[in-house]
Amino acid sequence: MIIFAGADLLLKIGGFDMSKFENFMTRDCLVPLIELDDFAPAYKALAKENIKRTGRLANSAKAMAHGEELALAARKFFSVVGAGGSLGQELALLIRLIVSNLKSCVYCTTHQVNALAQMGLAEEKIKNIHAFETHPAFSKEERVALAFASALTLDSSNIDDDICAHLKAIFPPKQRVEIALVAGAMAFFNSFNDGLRVPMEEGALDVA
């Protein structure tokens, strides 16, 4: 079992303030949601690929469609980085889940939970994501990756030396970069979706 020297880390990881969830459910999106037929051609092609893979068109993609070229670049970037590279999809999704929780992004957290459930991840991990440092469901590698991703999200300029040492001991440079990229990309999408008040799709409300 690994107990990180950054003892206050878990104190900062507390999950959602439910009053924020109530606010999230009633606020209006800051941009109209564009439908697929009105997407720019290249962005529409990418969206159709995502629909084939996931079976849905996210409201986040509809909101971002206003950005055209920038939106296309952002979605391509997240599609590749969000998959996690050599980390694998499960660890990438766990990183995305902990970051979304720490950022209190209801929209993104819901989608990470859905994705993890669809791939058959044990519910025990999803429910105990904030106890990753000590809960037996998490592997040593997952604990190290999630600790670094959490610290990166909370205060990237003051990551505890012990967390960094564990990261270097467990992961090669390529995967250290991948962890940082996955966490950083997720934090960006959290800010985009929360900042523009992107609404949850009706089919995801029960999970939210």
Side-chain angles (χ1 to χ4, degrees):
M1 181 183 297
I2 300 173
I3 303 296
F4 296 101
D8 63 339
L9 178 61
L10 283 179
L11 296 178
K12 296 178 182 177
I13 303 176
F16 288 123
D17 172 359
M18 290 309 294
S19 63
K20 177 173 181 176
F21 178 76
E22 293 168 2
N23 177 54
F24 174 88
M25 299 300 291
T26 59
R27 62 192 187 177
D28 292 327
C29 188
L30 299 187
V31 295
L33 299 181
I34 298 177
E35 295 303 324
L36 181 64
D37 288 344
D38 296 322
F39 284 9
Y43 190 68
K44 181 190 289 187
L46 181 63
K48 286 182 176 179
E49 290 177 15
N50 289 335
I51 292 170
K52 286 181 182 178
R53 189 177 70 252
T54 65
R56 61 177 174 79
L57 178 61
N59 283 343
S60 175
K62 293 179 180 181
M64 195 175 284
H66 290 279
E68 298 185 349
E69 292 88 355
L70 290 180
L72 179 64
R75 301 303 291 198
K76 282 183 175 179
F77 171 74
F78 190 68
S79 180
V80 175
V81 172
S86 67
L87 297 173
Q89 188 178 29
E90 181 177 320
L91 181 53
L93 282 168
L94 286 172
I95 292 169
R96 287 160 55 173
L97 177 59
I98 194 68
V99 170
S100 296
N101 257 232
L102 289 171
K103 295 276 286 180
S104 294
C105 182
V106 180
Y107 183 90
C108 292
T109 294
T110 299
H111 283 290
Q112 308 321 305
V113 168
N114 267 331
L116 285 164
Q118 287 171 8
M119 70 182 297
L121 185 77
E123 190 175 336
E124 193 176 18
K125 280 189 180 181
I126 299 173
K127 287 185 173 181
N128 292 285
I129 188 67
H130 292 298
F132 67 83
E133 289 201 71
T134 57
H135 197 281
F138 295 91
S139 68
K140 180 179 180 180
E141 291 75 16
E142 288 169 339
R143 289 172 183 158
V144 171
L146 292 173
F148 182 78
S150 298
L152 188 77
T153 303
L154 292 168
D155 188 356
S156 59
S157 64
N158 290 293
I159 300 176
D160 192 280
D161 287 343
D162 280 356
I163 291 176
C164 294
H166 283 300
L167 183 77
K168 291 173 69 176
I170 296 296
F171 293 101
K174 176 182 179 178
Q175 292 186 323
R176 294 174 219 160
V177 168
E178 289 172 337
I179 292 167
L181 282 170
V182 172
M186 191 72 253
F188 159 72
F189 272 85
N190 295 155
S191 296
F192 175 87
N193 291 318
D194 254 2
L196 289 180
R197 302 183 174 185
V198 176
M200 193 72 63
E201 299 84 4
E202 285 192 17
L205 288 175
D206 56 337
V207 177

